DNA sequence: CCGGAGCGTTGATGCAGATCAATCGCCACG
DNA sequence: CGTGGCGATTGATCTGCATCAACGCTCCGG
């Protein structure tokens, strides 16, 4: 059973952008939106493409329109930690440092709204509403990061996987996803590197959750059979 | 050998506040500083006191003047993850959610600058410079969080301890600390909960680093003997 | 000067998850 | 309709860190 994720929405103008309600621009009025649109460029990347790489000069900010990205940091010896997945509406570049803090690549095809760093900085300079919006997004990101630290430092493999599934479900719900099936566009290796585990442990844990009747494993996703049990594991 | 940390500085007015250069208020001019001062209250907490607790209503923001705090999240069963240590100049409340996202307690005595949430929000509402300052601090925090995730998810015990020591040294240096000796006001348990380890593993790792000639263990701190080796472990 | 509480260290043992090694299943392609 | 490749699963074994258990040091109060 194949599962698709947020395909088919097409962008026309900022005003009827698919992510208008979620993205940075949610705080702007019509005039501002026009001005912002003039600063933005609309780009696409195919499956697996790297949008930007850790430690290269950060020339752009991005807002995700369609698709999913993995955001990750690499250690010199190749160990990888995925620090998050970016979904439609997410803004990339909050750290605001002159170099990118992490790398981002496309999981499946993605469409992005690209802004020049300087341009957006100038645009925001004297727009408190916009700055407050950025703040709000940064705060949310920080909250997610804090929770992720607890997960990485203090949870068992089973709790990690359950938390991931519940968190992913909630994020998809937040951008309007509905349905029995929870699509997982990222591979097992991505999940492992997100949870600080190995691919084998992730696979075994999925299997265990299925054996215990908590989930059902499908190609490209899962279905949550025992939500209560999963949520308990995720909170515990 | 006992080590003291940032004792003795006394606050008089905002203009000659000990953390004037580092804190939120660094972005403000004299007039604004006066207005901000009228919103702030100056509070102290003794050793071990809890300044605010996770999941209680967030009525205040804080800026640290003196001392060190541990910021942590607890799981229902008591497992603890320390998400960071707050030093003079650090601002608490960036997440901006209506409840505190984590708890904070004093390690040793602390002095804080307290602001009412509503008051500070109103103050900032239409001051882009201030908002940009908040953004800058949030970005820095986010960067720290991302690095901490890599540490928690992908580093060995020895690398964790070395990274912690190097990071701590750099943070203290950033607020003007100098000297051979690196004070560690937090106990082994705090370090363990910061690094996602147990107290025993932390203790053993300290001992190993001392045996290997990388550090010397003192009461209340350490001395870095082989900086290069420690930095290598920390980066690797 | 003595006693004990609290933190830190050290030792012995256990186990969750890593590592090493096939095998499987699903497509894409010839 | 075979075949090769890649991701996922499963199995066997190993190991880094956790856990369980003393013991030591240091400082403080009597």
């Amino acid at each position: 059973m194949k599962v698709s994720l947020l395909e088919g929405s097409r962008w026309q103008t900022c005003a009827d952008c698919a992510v208008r309600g979620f993205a940075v621009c949610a705080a702007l009025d019509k005039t501002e939106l026009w001005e912002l649109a003039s600063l933005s460029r609309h780009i696409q990347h195919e499956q697996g493409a790297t949008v930007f790489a850790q430690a290269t000069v950060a020339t752009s900010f991005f807002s995700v329109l369609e698709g999913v990205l993995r955001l990750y940091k690499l250690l010199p010896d190749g160990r990888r930690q995925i620090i998050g997945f970016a979904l439609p509406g997410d803004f990339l570049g909050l750290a605001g440092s002159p170099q990118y803090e992490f790398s981002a690549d496309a999981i499946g095809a993605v469409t992005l709204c690209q802004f020049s760093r300087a341009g957006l900085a100038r645009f925001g300079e004297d727009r408190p509403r916009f700055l407050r919006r950025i703040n709000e997004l940064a705060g949310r990101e920080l909250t997610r990061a804090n929770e992720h630290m607890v997960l990485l430092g203090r949870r068992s493999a089973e709790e990690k996987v359950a938390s991931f599934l519940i968190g992913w479900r909630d994020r998809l719900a937040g951008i309007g996803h509905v349905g029995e099936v929870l699509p997982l566009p990222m591979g097992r290796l991505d999940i492992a590197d997100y949870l600080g585990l190995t691919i084998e442990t992730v696979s075994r844990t999925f299997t265990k959750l299925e054996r215990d009747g908590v989930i059902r494993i499908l190609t490209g996703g899962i279905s949550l059979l025992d939500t209560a049990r999963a949520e308990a594991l995720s909170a515990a």
Side-chain angles (χ1 to χ4, degrees), chain A:
Chain A
M1 204 185 302
K2 178 81 182 172
V3 174
S4 79
L5 177 66
L6 294 165
E7 281 165 9
S9 51
R10 289 276 127 227
W11 179 89
Q12 307 283 348
T13 74
C14 278
D16 62 281
C17 171
V19 297
R20 173 80 172 100
F22 321 120
V24 237
C25 44
L28 303 176
D29 63 32
K30 272 204 199 89
T31 330
E32 291 173 319
L33 213 54
W34 263 102
E35 194 183 339
L36 189 65
S38 78
L39 294 171
S40 77
R41 226 162 65 86
H42 197 193
I43 62 166
Q44 307 211 204
H45 282 283
E46 52 176 13
Q47 157 99 249
T50 296
V51 177
F52 56 82
Q54 179 178 3
T56 59
V57 283
T59 54
S60 299
F61 294 125
F62 301 90
S63 180
V64 182
L65 296 183
E66 291 185 295
V68 182
L69 302 107
R70 61 177 157 255
L71 314 178
Y72 59 97
K73 288 172 77 80
L74 291 170
L75 291 177
D77 64 0
R79 281 175 286 178
R80 184 177 73 155
Q81 176 66 47
I82 291 185
I83 60 172
F85 296 103
L87 287 176
D90 285 346
F91 184 74
L92 302 176
L94 287 167
S97 61
Q99 269 104 252
Y100 292 114
E101 301 281 350
F102 48 79
S103 305
D105 37 54
I107 297 179
V110 300
T111 312
L112 304 170
C113 204
Q114 180 177 32
F115 306 91
S116 91
R117 244 180 94 80
L120 199 63
R122 217 175 313 108
F123 173 82
E125 200 148 288
D126 205 37
R127 282 194 174 76
R129 270 233 315 280
F130 184 73
L131 290 171
R132 274 184 277 129
R133 177 66 181 152
I134 295 275
N135 258 287
E136 191 186 341
L137 295 177
R140 232 179 269 173
E141 219 45 59
L142 214 36
T143 299
R144 251 212 287 282
N146 288 337
E147 259 149 33
H148 203 178
M149 286 188 241
V150 179
L151 178 144
L152 290 169
R154 287 299 181 223
R155 299 178 106 104
S156 70
E158 195 177 16
E159 291 167 350
K160 283 177 175 183
V161 171
S163 299
F164 163 67
L165 292 175
I166 294 298
W168 184 249
R169 180 200 60 176
D170 292 346
R171 287 195 66 194
L172 289 192
I175 59 167
H177 173 83
V178 286
E180 266 305 287
V181 166
L182 188 62
L184 296 175
M186 71 292 286
R188 295 289 187 268
L189 184 57
D190 287 338
I191 299 177
D193 284 346
Y194 180 68
L195 298 176
L197 297 171
T198 59
I199 187 175
E200 293 95 330
T201 299
V202 169
S203 182
R204 279 187 243 274
T205 307
F206 268 82
T207 306
K208 178 177 191 305
L209 289 174
E210 181 166 54
R211 253 202 329 270
D212 296 353
V214 181
I215 63 171
R216 199 153 102 69
I217 301 173
L218 314 167
T219 32
I222 61 132
S223 145
L224 264 171
L225 304 180
D226 189 345
T227 314
R229 180 105 194 72
E231 280 163 355
L233 276 169
S234 152

